[in-house]
Amino acid sequence: MPEQRRLIFQHIDEPGYGNDLACYVRNGGYEVLRRAVQRKPEELIDEVKKSGLRGRGGAGFPCGVKWGLVDRKSGKPIYLVVNADESEPGTFKDRHIIHKDPHQLIEGIMITCFANNVKQAYIYIRGEFPEGARILERAIAEARAANFTGPGILGTAYGCEIYVHRGAGAYICGEETGMIESIEGKRPYPRIKPPYFPAVLGLYQCPTIVNNVETLCHVKHIADMGGEAYSKIGTPNNTGTRILCVSGHVRKPGYYEFEVGKVTLGQLLNEVCGGPLPGRTLKAVIPGGSSAKVLRFGERFKGKRKVGAEMVDYDWGVEDIPMDFDSLGMVGSMGGSGGVIVMDDSVSMVDALANINAFYSHESCGQCTPCREGSRWMQRITGRMVHGVARAEDGALLKSVADQIAGRTICAFGEACAWPTQSFVLKFPEEFKSHEEAKKKADGRAFELA
Amino acid sequence: MSINLKPETLARIDEAITHYPVKRSAALPLLHLVQEDLGHVSQESMEWIAAKLEVPAIAIYELVTFYPMFRQKPIGRRHIKVCRTLSCALSGSYRTCKEFEKHFNTYPGEVSPDGEVTIEFVECLASCGSGPVVMIDEELHEKVDQARACQLAVRISAEAAARK
């Protein structure tokens, strides 16, 4: 069985490991920050660039590049917004970081703020984490009292305040410009880019860095071991470790941390997570949060990929796919937020898609017509199919609606709501052609929608 | 226009406003604080928050109508949120929700006849690996299958009976 490598989750399941400052400090906490503030900020940015760290929130954008885009000459303050919205269904890693190791996050935030000369940071935490918000507020107060945050930290002239800002149940706030609007006290309608790139015109029209909770925790470890050493963890272009959240139909769902690309989907599901439930076989998996395109067990992926300096052929089944950003992209899906949702042969794909479509139509912010109308339209079609009213042309109609949303909206929500429909209809055409029959085959154990 | 907030709520409101360079940014924090204190956000509350933040009332109203967690009407004494989204649905959250509905003789979004609970069938609560998950007030409960839902419902009823 592939070994986990726990960097972020090193301590969280240790008996007696608490989320208070004393425990964190006992385990060497804030020592990295102490060393970091003695260095030049640019050196820290360089370490992150060298590390190859890619954002763990969904897009996998290189963190160092993101920081490099920040407008440092505007004369305006630079803000850090910590994305703790964790709104992509299937994802629950940040919940555990926040609840069990909040000081690791705060240390990562402070190193990031020092490196980027940020004086004010906001942690945008989803409204559904009231306890998480209280834990963070207490942790910030503890850290402030110990001079790790606040004015003049650790004997330097540098100071930074961190505030917790609670969301209120809207998925779209996870989109970085929607999040910024939400902190400004508005409806979280994503902004159009250009010109509103957060790095230039973000919060209060000031340069803003938006990073995911897990990403910021990695920054702490990069500052600790150095970018060079960190870049040797994982695989080329997919460095470091990553927390994979597995849910659905396996024996041992949960969170697992691996070096990126060092575990395949098959190893993860069959060895680490104990395989399918008794008497079942795996049917489909969504590898990177509910908006990622679904993979069907039995399908094969062929092509050429770069290994070192040469191009080599690959011929993968779903089980063979390495769990890294690039490989999951090559098979037409994505690593996304690391949320792996597993479905076995008891599930009707129409039921599953109807569930996803209900989510996205509920969460569309309504700003762009294709998404607002299209997500609702797809939901109505699959909703009707679930209730037994299916037409032969439904599959084609679903595809047509989805195709007309993707690429035609201000933010990536358009793709997020189109990809499930596009991939489900493409990969399980028989279920969308004859839903009644498919429904008879699946035993409907999971869903009782009637 | 005045609403009856507890002194500690008022203190927390004044503190929250200091977190931002622009007052309007405190809109969500204030809505949370007011709702936690009064149970819901009335029109008077919206107008009060708007005045406090020096914005037109519509700027607050449009938030209350957008963000799912804010409500304009009172709910039951206990708030039961069952997760509806895919991972929880795959592990049986539709049955979990039905169990609560049956026990309290109510439907999602309504107040039960005895005024005790409001059940909501909500979108993802971000605890997908331990579904079905249920939040009762601010407490998360994991792996709530039908049997566990029944136990929790009985406990809520017992607590209600003890209060009377």
Side-chain angles (χ1 to χ4, degrees):
Chain A
M1 191 186 324
E3 280 285 310
Q4 290 195 62
R5 166 118 187 225
R6 289 198 164 195
L7 206 58
I8 307 299
F9 278 174
Q10 189 186 348
H11 296 300
I12 63 159
D13 289 328
E14 281 172 16
Y17 188 81
N19 59 15
D20 56 303
L21 179 68
C23 177
Y24 188 66
V25 170
R26 250 194 332 272
N27 285 275
Y30 288 109
E31 282 310 310
V32 184
L33 176 65
R34 204 182 288 280
R35 294 200 313 267
V37 296
Q38 300 305 324
R39 300 178 66 180
K40 290 202 184 86
E42 310 83 69
E43 284 175 30
L44 292 164
I45 296 178
D46 260 359
E47 297 286 6
V48 172
K49 283 184 178 162
K50 267 189 254 166
S51 75
L53 174 65
R54 294 173 69 168
R56 300 297 196 248
F61 192 77
C63 183
V65 175
K66 200 176 217 181
W67 291 7
L69 294 170
V70 171
D71 180 0
R72 296 176 198 279
K73 295 190 179 124
S74 68
K76 296 189 270 191
I78 299 169
Y79 290 103
L80 173 71
V81 172
V82 180
N83 191 337
D85 199 49
E86 187 143 77
S87 43
E88 185 67 28
T91 321
F92 47 95
K93 61 195 175 63
D94 299 341
R95 165 191 282 280
H96 291 285
I97 296 173
I98 290 164
H99 283 79
K100 298 174 183 167
D101 207 359
H103 284 286
Q104 181 181 194
L105 172 61
I106 293 170
E107 188 169 10
I109 290 172
M110 287 306 295
I111 295 166
T112 300
C113 288
F114 176 76
N116 290 286
N117 195 27
V118 169
K119 306 280 170 60
Q120 213 152 321
Y122 293 98
I123 304 176
Y124 192 103
I125 184 169
R126 72 198 321 252
E128 294 86 342
F129 288 174
E131 196 195 343
R134 277 193 295 274
I135 289 168
L136 280 174
E137 272 168 358
R138 200 196 62 206
I140 292 165
E142 284 177 330
R144 201 173 187 279
N147 198 221
F148 296 126
T149 81
I153 63 164
L154 297 167
T156 67
Y158 172 77
C160 178
E161 297 290 349
I162 307 173
Y163 297 112
V164 176
H165 186 97
R166 286 185 65 203
Y171 170 83
I172 196 63
C173 293
E175 198 278 344
E176 57 182 9
T177 59
M179 179 168 287
I180 286 169
E181 287 281 304
S182 186
I183 297 176
E184 291 187 3
K186 301 170 191 161
R187 281 191 171 195
Y189 290 150
R191 295 174 177 176
I192 198 153
K193 296 179 260 187
Y196 296 108
F197 292 107
V200 182
L201 293 172
L203 186 60
Y204 309 120
Q205 303 299 321
C206 297
T208 302
I209 298 167
V210 186
N211 279 148
N212 171 261
V213 166
E214 188 191 345
T215 310
L216 289 163
C217 292
H218 282 284
V219 169
K220 180 207 139 166
H221 296 280
I222 291 164
D224 185 18
M225 68 178 80
E228 189 80 39
Y230 182 93
S231 73
K232 299 209 166 73
I233 305 172
T235 49
N237 204 37
N238 294 272
T239 60
T241 63
R242 162 145 234 211
I243 301 161
L244 299 168
C245 307
V246 184
S247 63
H249 294 152
V250 286
R251 289 179 202 226
K252 290 187 286 179
Y255 48 77
Y256 302 95
E257 186 174 356
F258 286 96
E259 293 192 36
V260 187
K262 293 275 177 84
V263 61
T264 64
L265 194 44
Q267 288 171 322
L268 177 69
L269 301 184
N270 290 319
E271 298 173 35
V272 180
C273 295
L277 299 174
R280 292 291 170 190
T281 52
L282 299 182
K283 180 174 183 180
V285 57
I286 302 172
S290 69
S291 61
K293 288 190 175 177
V294 70
L295 304 171
R296 178 177 184 157
F297 284 90
E299 66 175 321
R300 293 206 76 82
F301 310 93
K302 292 175 190 175
K304 282 185 185 303
R305 66 185 188 124
K306 215 173 151 184
V307 175
E310 20 178 347
M311 298 298 285
V312 298
D313 289 314
Y314 66 90
D315 179 3
W316 289 334
V318 169
E319 292 87 347
D320 307 319
I321 306 167
M323 291 299 285
D324 63 66
F325 295 100
D326 295 337
S327 300
L328 286 162
M330 276 162 18
V331 300
S333 189
M334 64 173 178
S337 60
V340 181
I341 307 172
V342 189
M343 289 169 271
D344 66 24
D345 58 342
S346 71
V347 181
S348 141
M349 287 297 112
V350 175
D351 287 357
L353 182 61
N355 183 287
I356 295 173
N357 283 349
F359 174 82
Y360 286 104
S361 77
H362 182 264
E363 300 298 340
S364 172
C365 80
Q367 196 179 202
C368 309
T369 308
C371 171
R372 180 187 65 239
E373 301 301 320
S375 62
R376 179 99 179 101
W377 193 357
M378 294 190 301
Q379 184 234 320
R380 289 210 307 267
I381 296 167
T382 46
R384 152 169 81 62
M385 291 175 85
V386 163
H387 288 92
V389 187
R391 300 176 192 138
E393 67 271 22
D394 279 337
L397 179 60
L398 281 166
K399 179 181 182 302
S400 157
V401 176
D403 288 350
Q404 292 178 78
I405 301 171
R408 291 177 164 86
T409 53
I410 287 173
C411 81
F413 187 102
E415 284 73 34
C417 78
W419 285 342
T421 292
Q422 288 173 331
S423 59
F424 273 69
V425 172
L426 176 73
K427 296 190 176 180
F428 298 92
E430 71 282 9
E431 300 203 20
F432 287 84
K433 261 189 211 121
S434 169
H435 179 232
E436 283 310 299
E437 226 163 273
K439 190 134 181 121
K440 264 183 244 152
K441 263 189 232 155
D443 66 7
R445 173 173 58 81
F447 296 88
E448 290 185 358
L449 295 161
Chain B
M1 179 183 56
S2 76
I3 52 173
N4 207 3
L5 294 170
K6 296 185 187 91
E8 58 265 34
T9 306
L10 286 167
R12 290 181 69 192
I13 283 174
D14 287 331
E15 154 73 16
I17 293 172
T18 66
H19 295 179
Y20 307 93
V22 176
K23 274 192 175 181
R24 185 176 179 177
S25 279
L28 253 53
L30 264 57
L31 281 165
H32 276 301
L33 287 165
V34 167
Q35 180 164 285
E36 275 158 25
D37 189 330
L38 303 175
H40 70 289
V41 186
S42 65
Q43 186 178 326
E44 290 73 30
S45 297
M46 288 184 241
E47 288 172 2
W48 185 87
I49 291 171
K52 188 88 185 163
L53 300 179
E54 297 164 27
V55 294
I58 181 68
I60 303 302
Y61 182 63
E62 69 167 4
L63 303 181
V64 174
T65 56
F66 187 95
Y67 291 91
M69 285 177 71
F70 299 127
R71 47 184 182 263
Q72 297 183 61
K73 291 207 174 103
I75 55 167
R77 192 171 286 115
R78 308 293 296 275
H79 196 178
I80 302 173
K81 294 178 182 174
V82 182
C83 178
R84 188 211 69 86
T85 316
L86 187 59
S87 301
C88 282
L90 289 170
S91 31
S93 67
Y94 276 77
R95 290 191 295 272
T96 300
C97 194
K98 280 273 182 310
E99 189 67 33
F100 282 113
E101 290 171 32
K102 197 177 75 189
H103 184 95
F104 292 107
N105 186 26
T106 185
Y107 289 104
E110 295 177 358
V111 182
S112 62
D114 58 1
E116 199 53 40
V117 304
T118 291
I119 299 167
E120 267 192 281
F121 208 20
V122 298
E123 298 303 343
C124 191
L125 293 172
S127 187
C128 319
S130 54
V133 295
V134 174
M135 269 181 93
I136 299 177
D137 301 323
E138 295 201 340
E139 194 184 345
L140 183 80
H141 299 266
E142 299 171 288
K143 296 185 182 164
V144 185
D145 58 7
Q146 266 170 301
R148 180 83 187 115
C150 185
Q151 287 171 357
L152 289 167
V154 166
R155 198 171 84 192
I156 290 171
S157 292
E159 284 164 7
R163 209 180 302 117
K164 276 169 192 158

